[in-house]
Amino acid sequence: MHIRTRTAATTAVAAAAAAFAVLPAAGTSTAASTAASGGVEYTYADAWGRETTAVLVDPEDGACIALPELAHTPAFRIDNRSTSPALLYGDKGCHGEPRAKVLPGDGSEVATYAVRLVPDED
């Protein structure tokens, strides 16, 4: 998994690229694996109050991923550009019930400190 950070000015271009990146190639299988393809974008206010977007690239299914830039302020927007549903948590350890479940291609404005991708149960 890699993390990329950018400011709001480049978010639209990156969102379009991320959406395109999760489309399967013709004739390929989308069978479940241990890592989701694509990414999970999250938007937060940085230390200077600027809106910033980062991307978790190809996060591992099942792993609790604390969003690294977030110390005291949660992410306020999550866009799931991966191939797996994302569970959003209000703490960094994925404890308790998730605050929201975001399906691939959807977004949420739930305050979030951590994400766990889960294999699709279909």
Side-chain angles (χ1 to χ4, degrees), residues 30-37 39-40 56 58-65 80-89 94 96-105 114-122:
T30 57
S33 67
T34 59
S37 1
V40 175
L56 301 172
D58 296 334
E60 183 180 343
D61 275 341
C64 177
I65 304 166
N80 187 357
R81 305 290 182 222
S82 78
T83 56
S84 296
L87 302 178
L88 310 182
Y89 292 88
C94 298
E97 292 294 315
R99 290 185 170 184
K101 179 177 183 179
V102 182
L103 298 176
V115 175
R116 181 186 316 266
L117 276 78
V118 293
D120 200 358
E121 297 163 359
D122 291 338

Side-chain angles (χ1 to χ4, degrees), residues 9-99:
T10 59
T11 301
V13 172
F20 180 75
V22 299
L23 296 174
T28 61
S29 171
T30 57
S33 67
T34 59
S37 1
V40 175
E41 293 183 4
Y42 56 102
T43 304
Y44 62 97
D46 69 12
W48 296 273
R50 294 178 300 202
E51 185 175 297
T52 304
T53 299
V55 181
L56 301 172
V57 179
D58 296 334
E60 183 180 343
D61 275 341
C64 177
I65 304 166
L67 304 177
E69 295 86 1
L70 311 179
H72 304 291
T73 304
F76 56 84
R77 174 82 190 162
I78 301 289
D79 289 298
N80 187 357
R81 305 290 182 222
S82 78
T83 56
S84 296
L87 302 178
L88 310 182
Y89 292 88
D91 71 301
K92 293 181 181 184
C94 298
H95 299 110
E97 292 294 315
R99 290 185 170 184

